[in-house]
Structures are given as C-alpha cells and as structure tokens.
Amino acid sequence: MGPIWAAGILVITASSQQHTFSLQQASTMDRRIAPHSSFKIPAGSMTVFTMLAMLVTLFVYDRALVPLARRRTGLDRGISFLHRMGVGFTISVAASLVAGFIERHRREAAVAGGTTDAGTAPLSVYWLVPQYALHGVAEAFNSVGHLEFMYDQAPESMRSTATALFWLSISLGSYVSTLLITIVHRWSAGPDGSNWLPDNINRGKLDYFYWVVTLLQVMNLVYYLICARQYTYKPVQHYKEEEGEDKSMVELQQKV
C-alpha cells in the first residue's frame, strides 16, 4: 500500500497552490461580482468554487456515475479505488496545466492595461474559476478514493493508522510545495536577484512554475499507473450456507 499512498502526495502539492499563488492572482484581478457592481469578491473566497465543484462531483458521481459503472463492472461501488484515484490524478494534471495558461493570459492583460507594478488588471477574476473547479473535481475523485483505499485495504487492526497516514499525506504535500518553491526560487534566480516567483507576480513567471508542477504530476501519474497495475487487492472473505447447513466457505474476491 505504501507506493500507492505516496503517489497521493503530489496531488496535494498541486492543490495547495490555490491557497498561495492562486490567491495572489485573484488579488490582482477585477474581483467585481458583476460589471456594474461595487461589491468585490474577497480573494480568499475563491476557494468556494473548489468546494462547489467537489460537492457537485460527489453528487453526480454517487447518483449517476456509480449506477452506470455498476452495470458495466459489476462492482457495488461502480469503479475500483485505484480507478477512482487514477481519474483524480489525471484531472489534477489538467488543473495545473490550465492554471499555467490562465496565468499567462492574466499577466499579458496586466501588461496591456499598464498595471504591471500597481493597480488591478483589466481581467475578471472569474477566469480563475476553471482551475479552482478542476482541483475540486480532482479532489472528489482522488481524496475520497485515496481515503477509502487506505481504510479498506489495511488490516482491520491497522485501519486507524491507515486513516492517519492519509492525513499525513496531506501534510507532506504542503511541505513538498514549500520545498518545491524554495528550489524554484534558487534555480530560477538571475544575477539581478529576479526569479520566477517574485512578490510582484506580474514580473515573474508563475505560469512556468505551474507547468513544472504539471510535469511532476505527469511523472507521478506514470509512477502511479505502474504501482496500480502491480497491486493485488486484499482477499475478502465470504460465507455461504449450503444445503441448510452452516458450512463456511472462504472465497477470494479478486475484484474490489
């Protein structure tokens, strides 16, 4: 289970950017709730789109996708834990890739509007909704699947430990994010002290950072697919009654 568990760390590293650089992006954009409104959406409230996307995905998954998948796979849960996590990994890659393109468009809008050093870029904050929403969808698939996998596949006496390991992966994902930012700061530093991630993101290359995260996630996805292909599910015991007698038979269930 260890290699499968470790694969979930980088997904948290990618999603943690919503609370750092995505927040900086939002603070430099037009945050009016409507073109002629004076009310501005707080930059920190943009994560509501992640929550909404996750809740909608969970609802659609449970009410629509599971019944459809159940007919095809014969599994009560529709698809296996590993398939669900794999979908989450793939969507997380797409979220980071999209974030890079949106950041490039935002920076170009800031330059064109003359707000590189100060002011609000003439670009609506709603441009950030796709990356927030994609992270929410990815979390609905990956995090839920990851937690279910750890709980279901662990020995009964270690289920509490397995659940704790899931939360540990979230912590490690945040630490890896900090480490990655430190490495990028040093690696991209120029003779004049500039780098990809300055305080003024209009002068930086945040899109490059998002694409570095995308590349790491692609590598992580390949690693995960190899591990998932080699993984053998824990045998499950079934008890049957034959000819009115309480005879117990143990079967090994290969599909989970």
Side-chain angles (χ1 to χ4, degrees), residues 117-245:
D117 295 314
T120 301
L123 189 67
S124 174
V125 74
Y126 291 119
W127 274 88
L128 297 180
V129 171
Q131 67 192 59
Y132 276 103
L134 283 171
H135 278 300
V137 175
E139 189 170 350
F141 278 95
N142 181 73
S143 294
V144 176
H146 196 180
L147 181 58
E148 288 182 341
F149 169 79
M150 296 298 294
Y151 184 82
D152 185 87
Q153 294 297 293
E156 291 187 7
S157 60
M158 296 184 64
R159 282 181 170 173
S160 295
T161 302
T163 304
L165 284 172
F166 166 76
W167 294 109
L168 177 62
S169 68
I170 295 178
S171 300
L172 290 176
S174 298
Y175 279 115
V176 171
S177 176
T178 302
L179 176 62
L180 181 60
I181 291 171
T182 301
I183 293 173
V184 170
H185 265 295
R186 294 181 179 178
W187 180 76
S188 64
D192 58 350
S194 63
N195 59 72
W196 287 2
L197 306 172
D199 292 335
N200 181 2
I201 58 174
N202 292 329
R203 294 286 184 182
K205 298 289 184 181
L206 180 57
D207 50 340
Y208 289 178
F209 175 76
Y210 280 135
W211 290 333
V212 168
V213 174
T214 301
L215 178 60
L216 291 175
Q217 285 196 95
V218 170
M219 295 168 63
N220 186 60
L221 177 59
V222 173
Y223 160 78
Y224 171 77
L225 291 175
I226 294 173
C227 294
R229 188 176 181 83
Q230 299 298 320
Y231 184 77
T232 302
Y233 284 104
K234 181 180 73 175
V236 178
Q237 292 183 342
H238 292 280
Y239 298 94
K240 292 184 177 180
E241 292 186 2
E242 292 186 352
E243 300 176 358
E245 300 179 4

